[in-house]
Amino acid sequence: MSHTHRRDGRGRRRGGRNKARGRPCGAWGAALALACAAALTACGPDGGDADAAGTASDAPTSSAPTESAPAPSGTGTPAEPTQPPPPTSAAPSASPKPGGIARCETDGLALSLVAHGQEMNSKYFDLRLTNTGGEPCDLLGHPGVSLLDAGGKRVGEPATRSQDGAGDGGPVRLRPGQAAHATVKTAGEGVTDGRCWPEAATLLVYPPGSKQTVTTRDLAGLRVCGDSFQVGPVGDRAP
């Protein structure tokens, strides 16, 4: 009886120990399983860090254009654009003036005034523009004519245009040494009862088409009276 009791007790004690040991082993197994599951969840398919892989894949890529390296000398396209080569032929120049002759310029003209007589109630003067250059040149139209006093102040008003003289309105070609002629007209002093402008010291002329002037101090007795002061177009001969 007692032997049986000891054996049964031993068996109970052994069973108790097994049960005590089984509970800790089961808890550790569950904890280990949870840890492995967490590790498998955290690990990527290739064994890398899933969070790092996600961060790298979500990072925006740079949109800045890349610069190509300059091509080696002698091959390919140069790194910097170069100026285009000059044209093989020069651009066409401006079309020449009619007849290929330039307009007479003031630095190649000399001005003179010659009394041409009196007819009826008017006095006439021959205004001459002489080509002093070495090449032919053309004049076309009416010159601009004014009178100046000794101080350079204008006397009266500029001459108005008329059709007096030998000019027909066409161009006048002057060879070197030749002169174009324009008729200047004013009223005779005797028919105006002395109503005349003050005497001038200088005749100032704009050749046709020019913004520069030529002058002369030889007025050939010109004095404007009756407020009548006129000039005709240039022609190739005296009136």
Side-chain angles (χ1 to χ4, degrees):
M1 294 288 291
S2 60
H3 179 76
T4 304
H5 176 75
R6 286 193 301 271
R7 185 170 51 191
D8 292 341
R10 191 182 298 114
R12 283 196 297 270
R13 286 193 296 272
R14 290 177 181 175
R17 285 194 298 270
N18 291 338
K19 287 181 182 179
R21 292 175 183 174
R23 282 194 298 270
C25 184
W28 281 105
L32 181 59
L34 290 174
C36 290
L40 290 174
T41 303
C43 295
D46 297 330
D49 189 347
D51 291 340
T55 303
S57 62
D58 295 338
T61 58
S62 175
S63 60
T66 59
E67 296 183 0
S68 59
S73 59
T75 62
T77 304
E80 296 183 357
T82 57
Q83 295 295 331
T88 55
S89 60
S93 59
S95 58
K97 295 184 178 298
I101 303 297
R103 176 173 55 83
C104 298
E105 302 292 345
T106 54
D107 58 358
L109 291 172
L111 171 65
S112 60
L113 190 67
V114 178
H116 195 64
Q118 182 170 342
E119 183 179 343
M120 300 294 290
N121 298 324
S122 299
K123 296 179 67 173
Y124 294 88
F125 298 83
D126 180 19
L127 186 155
R128 300 177 181 178
L129 292 168
T130 303
N131 181 6
T132 60
E135 299 292 337
C137 61
D138 284 351
L139 288 177
L140 174 64
H142 289 73
V145 181
S146 294
L147 296 171
L148 305 178
D149 63 16
K153 185 178 179 180
R154 192 177 68 194
V155 176
E157 298 296 329
T160 59
R161 294 181 177 183
S162 72
Q163 294 304 316
D164 294 319
D168 57 4
V172 178
R173 179 156 301 168
L174 303 180
R175 293 192 299 272
Q178 285 188 320
H181 304 264
T183 297
V184 174
K185 181 175 72 173
T186 185
E189 184 175 353
V191 300
T192 60
D193 297 328
R195 292 182 290 106
C196 301
W197 295 353
E199 291 187 8
T202 302
L203 178 69
L204 180 145
V205 173
Y206 289 88
S210 177
K211 295 182 179 180
Q212 305 296 323
T213 62
V214 289
T215 60
T216 181
R217 289 185 174 273
D218 184 0
L219 273 66
L222 171 64
R223 188 179 185 187
V224 176
C225 296
D227 294 329
S228 175
F229 188 31
Q230 299 179 346
V231 62
V234 294
D236 58 358
R237 62 185 185 275

Coordinates of all heavy atoms in Angstrom, one line a residue, residues 35-117:
A35 N 6.8 36.8 -33.3 CA 8.0 37.5 -33.7 C 8.4 37.2 -35.1 O 8.8 38.1 -35.9 CB 9.1 37.2 -32.7
C36 N 8.3 35.9 -35.5 CA 8.6 35.6 -36.9 C 7.6 36.2 -37.8 O 8.0 36.6 -38.9 CB 8.6 34.0 -37.0 SG 10.0 33.2 -36.1
A37 N 6.4 36.2 -37.5 CA 5.4 36.8 -38.4 C 5.6 38.3 -38.6 O 5.6 38.8 -39.7 CB 4.0 36.6 -37.8
A38 N 6.0 38.9 -37.4 CA 6.3 40.4 -37.6 C 7.5 40.6 -38.4 O 7.6 41.5 -39.2 CB 6.5 41.0 -36.2
A39 N 8.5 39.7 -38.2 CA 9.8 39.8 -39.0 C 9.5 39.6 -40.5 O 10.0 40.3 -41.4 CB 10.8 38.8 -38.5
L40 N 8.6 38.6 -40.8 CA 8.3 38.3 -42.2 C 7.5 39.5 -42.8 O 7.7 39.9 -43.9 CB 7.5 37.0 -42.3 CG 8.2 35.7 -42.1 CD1 7.3 34.6 -42.1 CD2 9.3 35.5 -43.1
T41 N 6.7 40.1 -42.0 CA 5.9 41.3 -42.5 C 6.8 42.4 -42.8 O 6.7 43.2 -43.7 CB 4.8 41.7 -41.5 OG1 4.0 40.5 -41.2 CG2 4.0 42.8 -42.0
A42 N 7.8 42.6 -41.9 CA 8.7 43.8 -42.0 C 9.7 43.6 -43.1 O 10.2 44.6 -43.7 CB 9.4 44.1 -40.7
C43 N 10.0 42.4 -43.5 CA 11.0 42.1 -44.5 C 10.4 42.2 -45.9 O 9.3 41.7 -46.1 CB 11.7 40.8 -44.3 SG 12.6 40.7 -42.7
G44 N 11.1 42.7 -46.8 CA 10.7 42.7 -48.2 C 10.9 41.4 -48.9 O 11.5 40.5 -48.3
P45 N 10.5 41.3 -50.1 CA 10.6 40.0 -50.8 C 12.1 39.7 -51.0 O 12.5 38.5 -51.2 CB 9.9 40.3 -52.1 CG 9.9 41.7 -52.3 CD 9.8 42.3 -50.9
D46 N 13.0 40.7 -51.1 CA 14.4 40.4 -51.3 C 15.2 40.5 -50.0 O 16.4 40.5 -50.0 CB 15.0 41.4 -52.3 CG 14.3 41.3 -53.7 OD1 13.9 40.2 -54.0 OD2 14.2 42.3 -54.4
G47 N 14.5 40.6 -49.0 CA 15.2 40.6 -47.7 C 15.6 42.0 -47.3 O 16.2 42.2 -46.2
G48 N 15.2 43.1 -48.0 CA 15.6 44.4 -47.7 C 14.6 45.0 -46.7 O 13.6 44.4 -46.4
D49 N 14.8 46.3 -46.4 CA 13.9 47.0 -45.5 C 12.7 47.5 -46.3 O 12.9 48.3 -47.2 CB 14.6 48.2 -44.8 CG 13.8 48.8 -43.7 OD1 12.6 48.5 -43.6 OD2 14.4 49.6 -42.9
A50 N 11.5 47.0 -45.9 CA 10.3 47.4 -46.7 C 10.1 48.9 -46.6 O 9.7 49.6 -47.6 CB 9.1 46.7 -46.2
D51 N 10.3 49.5 -45.4 CA 10.0 51.0 -45.3 C 11.0 51.7 -46.2 O 10.7 52.7 -46.9 CB 10.2 51.4 -43.9 CG 9.0 50.9 -43.0 OD1 8.0 50.5 -43.6 OD2 9.2 50.8 -41.8
A52 N 12.3 51.3 -46.2 CA 13.3 52.0 -47.0 C 13.0 51.8 -48.5 O 13.2 52.8 -49.3 CB 14.7 51.5 -46.7
A53 N 12.6 50.6 -48.9 CA 12.2 50.4 -50.3 C 11.1 51.2 -50.7 O 11.0 51.8 -51.8 CB 11.9 48.9 -50.5
G54 N 10.0 51.3 -49.8 CA 8.9 52.2 -50.2 C 9.3 53.6 -50.3 O 8.9 54.4 -51.1
T55 N 10.2 54.1 -49.4 CA 10.6 55.5 -49.4 C 11.4 55.8 -50.7 O 11.2 56.8 -51.4 CB 11.5 55.8 -48.2 OG1 10.8 55.5 -47.0 CG2 12.0 57.3 -48.2
A56 N 12.2 54.8 -51.1 CA 13.0 55.1 -52.3 C 12.1 55.1 -53.6 O 12.3 55.8 -54.5 CB 14.1 54.0 -52.5
S57 N 11.1 54.2 -53.6 CA 10.3 54.1 -54.8 C 9.3 55.3 -54.9 O 8.9 55.7 -56.0 CB 9.5 52.8 -54.8 OG 8.6 52.8 -53.6
D58 N 9.0 55.8 -53.7 CA 8.0 57.0 -53.7 C 8.8 58.3 -53.9 O 8.1 59.3 -54.2 CB 7.3 57.1 -52.4 CG 6.4 55.8 -52.2 OD1 6.0 55.2 -53.3 OD2 6.0 55.6 -51.1
A59 N 10.1 58.3 -53.8 CA 10.8 59.6 -53.9 C 10.7 60.1 -55.4 O 10.9 59.4 -56.3 CB 12.3 59.4 -53.5
P60 N 10.4 61.4 -55.6 CA 10.2 61.9 -56.9 C 11.6 62.0 -57.6 O 12.6 62.3 -57.0 CB 9.7 63.4 -56.7 CG 10.1 63.7 -55.3 CD 10.1 62.4 -54.5
T61 N 11.6 61.7 -58.9 CA 12.8 61.8 -59.6 C 13.0 63.2 -60.2 O 12.1 63.9 -60.4 CB 12.8 60.8 -60.8 OG1 11.6 61.1 -61.6 CG2 12.6 59.4 -60.3
S62 N 14.3 63.6 -60.4 CA 14.6 64.9 -60.9 C 14.2 65.1 -62.3 O 14.4 64.2 -63.1 CB 16.1 65.2 -60.8 OG 16.4 66.4 -61.3
S63 N 13.5 66.2 -62.6 CA 13.0 66.5 -63.9 C 14.0 67.5 -64.7 O 13.7 67.9 -65.8 CB 11.6 67.1 -63.9 OG 11.6 68.3 -63.2
A64 N 15.1 67.9 -64.0 CA 16.0 68.8 -64.7 C 16.6 68.1 -65.9 O 17.1 67.0 -65.8 CB 17.1 69.3 -63.7
P65 N 16.7 68.8 -67.0 CA 17.3 68.2 -68.2 C 18.8 68.0 -68.0 O 19.5 68.8 -67.3 CB 17.1 69.2 -69.3 CG 16.9 70.5 -68.6 CD 16.3 70.2 -67.3
T66 N 19.3 66.9 -68.5 CA 20.7 66.7 -68.4 C 21.4 67.3 -69.5 O 20.9 67.5 -70.6 CB 20.9 65.1 -68.4 OG1 20.4 64.6 -69.6 CG2 20.2 64.5 -67.3
E67 N 22.6 67.7 -69.3 CA 23.5 68.4 -70.3 C 24.4 67.3 -70.9 O 25.0 66.6 -70.2 CB 24.3 69.5 -69.7 CG 23.4 70.6 -69.1 CD 24.3 71.7 -68.6 OE1 25.5 71.6 -68.7 OE2 23.7 72.7 -68.2
S68 N 24.4 67.3 -72.2 CA 25.3 66.4 -72.9 C 26.7 66.9 -72.8 O 26.9 68.1 -72.9 CB 24.8 66.2 -74.3 OG 24.8 67.4 -75.0
A69 N 27.6 66.0 -72.7 CA 29.0 66.4 -72.7 C 29.4 67.0 -74.1 O 28.9 66.5 -75.1 CB 29.8 65.2 -72.3
P70 N 30.3 68.0 -74.1 CA 30.7 68.5 -75.4 C 31.4 67.5 -76.2 O 32.1 66.6 -75.7 CB 31.6 69.7 -75.0 CG 32.1 69.3 -73.6 CD 30.9 68.6 -72.9
A71 N 31.1 67.5 -77.5 CA 31.7 66.5 -78.4 C 33.2 66.8 -78.5 O 33.7 67.9 -78.4 CB 31.1 66.6 -79.8
P72 N 34.0 65.8 -78.7 CA 35.4 66.0 -78.8 C 35.7 66.8 -80.1 O 35.0 66.8 -81.0 CB 36.0 64.6 -78.9 CG 34.8 63.7 -79.4 CD 33.6 64.4 -78.8
S73 N 36.8 67.6 -80.0 CA 37.2 68.4 -81.1 C 37.3 67.6 -82.4 O 37.9 66.6 -82.4 CB 38.5 69.2 -80.8 OG 39.5 68.3 -80.6
G74 N 36.8 68.2 -83.5 CA 36.9 67.6 -84.8 C 35.8 66.6 -85.1 O 35.7 66.2 -86.2
T75 N 34.9 66.3 -84.1 CA 33.8 65.4 -84.4 C 32.6 65.9 -83.8 O 32.6 66.6 -82.8 CB 34.1 64.0 -83.8 OG1 34.3 64.1 -82.4 CG2 35.4 63.4 -84.4
G76 N 31.4 65.5 -84.3 CA 30.1 65.8 -83.7 C 29.8 67.3 -83.8 O 30.4 68.0 -84.5
T77 N 28.8 67.7 -82.9 CA 28.4 69.0 -82.9 C 29.1 69.8 -81.8 O 29.3 69.2 -80.7 CB 26.9 69.0 -82.6 OG1 26.2 68.3 -83.5 CG2 26.3 70.5 -82.6
P78 N 29.6 71.0 -82.0 CA 30.3 71.8 -81.0 C 29.4 72.0 -79.8 O 28.2 72.1 -79.9 CB 30.7 73.1 -81.7 CG 29.8 73.2 -82.9 CD 29.4 71.8 -83.2
A79 N 30.1 72.1 -78.6 CA 29.3 72.3 -77.4 C 28.6 73.6 -77.4 O 27.5 73.7 -76.9 CB 30.3 72.3 -76.2
E80 N 29.1 74.7 -78.0 CA 28.4 76.0 -78.0 C 28.1 76.3 -79.4 O 28.9 76.1 -80.3 CB 29.3 77.1 -77.4 CG 29.6 76.8 -75.9 CD 30.4 77.9 -75.3 OE1 30.8 78.8 -76.1 OE2 30.7 77.9 -74.1
P81 N 26.9 77.0 -79.7 CA 26.6 77.4 -81.1 C 27.6 78.4 -81.6 O 28.0 79.3 -80.9 CB 25.2 78.0 -80.9 CG 25.1 78.4 -79.5 CD 25.9 77.4 -78.7
T82 N 27.9 78.3 -82.8 CA 28.8 79.3 -83.5 C 28.0 80.2 -84.4 O 26.9 79.9 -84.8 CB 29.9 78.5 -84.3 OG1 29.2 77.7 -85.2 CG2 30.7 77.7 -83.4
Q83 N 28.6 81.3 -84.8 CA 27.9 82.2 -85.7 C 27.8 81.6 -87.0 O 28.7 80.9 -87.5 CB 28.7 83.5 -85.8 CG 28.8 84.3 -84.5 CD 27.4 84.8 -84.1 OE1 26.5 85.1 -84.9 NE2 27.2 84.9 -82.8
P84 N 26.7 81.9 -87.7 CA 26.5 81.3 -89.1 C 27.6 81.9 -90.0 O 28.0 83.0 -89.8 CB 25.1 81.8 -89.5 CG 24.8 82.9 -88.7 CD 25.5 82.7 -87.4
P85 N 28.0 81.1 -91.0 CA 29.1 81.6 -91.9 C 28.5 82.8 -92.7 O 27.3 82.9 -93.0 CB 29.4 80.4 -92.8 CG 28.1 79.6 -92.7 CD 27.6 79.8 -91.3
P86 N 29.4 83.7 -93.1 CA 28.9 84.8 -94.0 C 28.4 84.3 -95.3 O 28.8 83.3 -95.8 CB 30.2 85.6 -94.1 CG 31.3 84.7 -93.9 CD 30.8 83.7 -92.9
P87 N 27.4 85.0 -95.9 CA 26.9 84.6 -97.2 C 28.0 84.6 -98.2 O 28.9 85.4 -98.2 CB 25.8 85.7 -97.4 CG 26.1 86.8 -96.6 CD 26.8 86.3 -95.4
T88 N 27.8 83.8 -99.2 CA 28.8 83.7 -100.3 C 28.8 84.9 -101.2 O 29.7 85.3 -101.8 CB 28.5 82.4 -101.1 OG1 27.2 82.5 -101.6 CG2 28.7 81.2 -100.2
S89 N 27.6 85.6 -101.2 CA 27.5 86.8 -102.1 C 27.0 87.9 -101.2 O 26.2 87.7 -100.3 CB 26.7 86.6 -103.3 OG 25.4 86.2 -102.9
A90 N 27.4 89.2 -101.5 CA 26.9 90.3 -100.8 C 25.4 90.6 -101.1 O 24.9 90.3 -102.2 CB 27.7 91.6 -101.1
A91 N 24.7 91.2 -100.1 CA 23.3 91.5 -100.3 C 23.2 92.6 -101.3 O 24.1 93.5 -101.4 CB 22.7 92.0 -99.0
P92 N 22.1 92.6 -102.1 CA 22.0 93.6 -103.1 C 21.9 95.0 -102.5 O 21.3 95.2 -101.5 CB 20.7 93.3 -103.9 CG 20.0 92.4 -102.9 CD 21.0 91.7 -102.1
S93 N 22.6 96.0 -103.1 CA 22.5 97.3 -102.6 C 21.3 98.0 -103.0 O 20.5 97.5 -103.8 CB 23.8 98.1 -103.2 OG 23.7 98.1 -104.6
A94 N 21.0 99.2 -102.4 CA 19.8 100.0 -102.7 C 19.8 100.3 -104.2 O 20.9 100.5 -104.8 CB 19.8 101.2 -101.9
S95 N 18.6 100.4 -104.8 CA 18.5 100.7 -106.2 C 19.0 102.1 -106.5 O 18.8 103.0 -105.7 CB 17.0 100.6 -106.6 OG 16.3 101.5 -105.9
P96 N 19.8 102.2 -107.6 CA 20.3 103.6 -107.9 C 19.2 104.5 -108.2 O 18.1 104.2 -108.5 CB 21.2 103.3 -109.1 CG 20.6 102.0 -109.7 CD 20.1 101.2 -108.6
K97 N 19.5 105.8 -108.2 CA 18.6 106.9 -108.5 C 18.3 106.8 -110.0 O 19.1 106.2 -110.8 CB 19.1 108.2 -108.1 CG 19.2 108.4 -106.6 CD 19.7 109.8 -106.3 CE 19.7 109.9 -104.8 NZ 18.4 109.7 -104.1
P98 N 17.2 107.3 -110.5 CA 16.8 107.3 -111.9 C 18.0 107.8 -112.8 O 18.6 108.8 -112.5 CB 15.6 108.2 -112.0 CG 15.0 108.2 -110.7 CD 16.1 108.0 -109.7
G99 N 18.4 107.0 -113.8 CA 19.4 107.4 -114.7 C 20.8 107.0 -114.1 O 21.8 107.2 -114.8
G100 N 20.9 106.5 -112.8 CA 22.1 106.2 -112.2 C 23.0 107.3 -111.8 O 24.1 107.2 -111.5
I101 N 22.4 108.5 -111.7 CA 23.1 109.8 -111.4 C 22.6 110.2 -110.0 O 21.4 110.3 -109.8 CB 22.9 110.9 -112.4 CG1 23.4 110.4 -113.8 CG2 23.7 112.1 -112.0 CD1 24.8 110.0 -113.9
A102 N 23.5 110.6 -109.1 CA 23.1 111.0 -107.8 C 22.6 112.5 -107.8 O 22.9 113.3 -108.7 CB 24.3 110.9 -106.8
R103 N 21.8 112.8 -106.8 CA 21.4 114.2 -106.6 C 22.5 115.1 -106.2 O 23.4 114.7 -105.5 CB 20.3 114.3 -105.6 CG 19.8 115.7 -105.2 CD 18.6 115.6 -104.3 NE 18.9 114.9 -103.1 CZ 19.5 115.4 -102.0 NH1 19.9 116.7 -102.1 NH2 19.7 114.7 -101.0
C104 N 22.5 116.3 -106.7 CA 23.6 117.3 -106.4 C 23.5 117.6 -104.9 O 22.5 117.9 -104.4 CB 23.5 118.5 -107.2 SG 23.6 118.3 -109.0
E105 N 24.7 117.5 -104.3 CA 24.8 117.9 -102.8 C 25.4 119.3 -102.7 O 26.1 119.8 -103.6 CB 25.6 116.9 -102.1 CG 25.1 115.4 -102.2 CD 23.8 115.2 -101.5 OE1 23.4 116.1 -100.6 OE2 23.2 114.2 -101.7
T106 N 25.1 119.9 -101.5 CA 25.5 121.3 -101.3 C 27.0 121.4 -101.3 O 27.5 122.5 -101.7 CB 25.0 121.8 -100.0 OG1 25.3 120.9 -98.9 CG2 23.4 121.9 -100.0
D107 N 27.8 120.4 -100.9 CA 29.2 120.6 -100.9 C 29.8 120.5 -102.3 O 31.0 120.7 -102.5 CB 29.9 119.5 -100.0 CG 29.5 118.1 -100.5 OD1 28.8 117.9 -101.4 OD2 30.0 117.1 -99.8
G108 N 29.0 120.2 -103.3 CA 29.5 120.3 -104.7 C 28.8 121.3 -105.5 O 28.7 121.2 -106.8
L109 N 28.2 122.3 -104.9 CA 27.4 123.4 -105.6 C 27.9 124.7 -105.2 O 28.2 125.0 -104.0 CB 25.9 123.2 -105.3 CG 25.2 122.0 -105.9 CD1 23.7 122.0 -105.4 CD2 25.2 122.1 -107.5
A110 N 27.9 125.7 -106.1 CA 28.2 127.1 -105.9 C 27.0 127.9 -106.2 O 26.3 127.6 -107.3 CB 29.4 127.5 -106.6
L111 N 26.7 128.9 -105.4 CA 25.5 129.7 -105.6 C 25.9 131.1 -106.1 O 26.9 131.7 -105.7 CB 24.7 129.9 -104.3 CG 23.6 130.9 -104.3 CD1 22.4 130.5 -105.3 CD2 23.0 131.1 -102.9
S112 N 25.1 131.6 -107.1 CA 25.3 133.0 -107.6 C 24.0 133.6 -108.0 O 23.0 132.8 -108.3 CB 26.3 133.1 -108.7 OG 25.9 132.3 -109.8
L113 N 23.9 134.9 -108.0 CA 22.7 135.6 -108.4 C 23.0 136.7 -109.4 O 23.9 137.5 -109.2 CB 22.0 136.2 -107.2 CG 20.5 136.7 -107.5 CD1 19.6 135.6 -107.8 CD2 20.1 137.5 -106.2
V114 N 22.3 136.7 -110.6 CA 22.6 137.6 -111.6 C 21.3 138.4 -112.0 O 20.3 137.7 -112.2 CB 23.1 136.9 -112.9 CG1 23.4 137.9 -114.0 CG2 24.4 136.2 -112.6
A115 N 21.4 139.7 -112.0 CA 20.2 140.5 -112.4 C 19.8 140.2 -113.9 O 20.7 140.1 -114.7 CB 20.5 142.0 -112.2
H116 N 18.6 140.0 -114.1 CA 18.1 139.6 -115.5 C 17.2 140.6 -116.1 O 16.7 140.4 -117.2 CB 17.4 138.2 -115.4 CG 17.3 137.5 -116.7 ND1 18.3 137.1 -117.5 CD2 16.1 137.2 -117.5 CE1 17.9 136.6 -118.6 NE2 16.5 136.6 -118.6
G117 N 17.1 141.7 -115.5 CA 16.3 142.8 -116.1 C 14.9 143.0 -115.5 O 14.5 142.2 -114.6

